[in-house]
Amino acid sequence: MDVPLWLALIVIGWLGVKLIRPPWWLVAVLLLGGYLIADSVFAPLIDTAVK
């Protein structure tokens, strides 16, 4: 089964917010930080670590 990454992230994020109930600012910081790191020089390093 091949699930798109964006769909997996949405489902995991939704479950995390529903189950853990973090503050809204923490969710915003994690989303913005992940977006910024994805376009940085660390992206290839993270890509190899995930694979």
Side-chain angles (χ1 to χ4, degrees):
M1 186 166 141
D2 199 16
V3 179
L5 179 61
W6 60 268
L7 180 60
L9 290 176
I10 288 173
V11 170
I12 291 169
W14 181 77
L15 284 174
V17 168
K18 286 291 184 185
L19 296 175
I20 300 172
R21 298 195 185 263
W24 66 268
W25 59 266
L26 181 60
V27 174
V29 166
L30 289 174
L31 287 173
L32 183 60
Y35 178 76
L36 292 175
I37 287 175
D39 271 345
S40 72
V41 296
F42 298 114
L45 178 66
I46 294 170
D47 188 41
T48 56
V50 170
K51 288 183 181 180

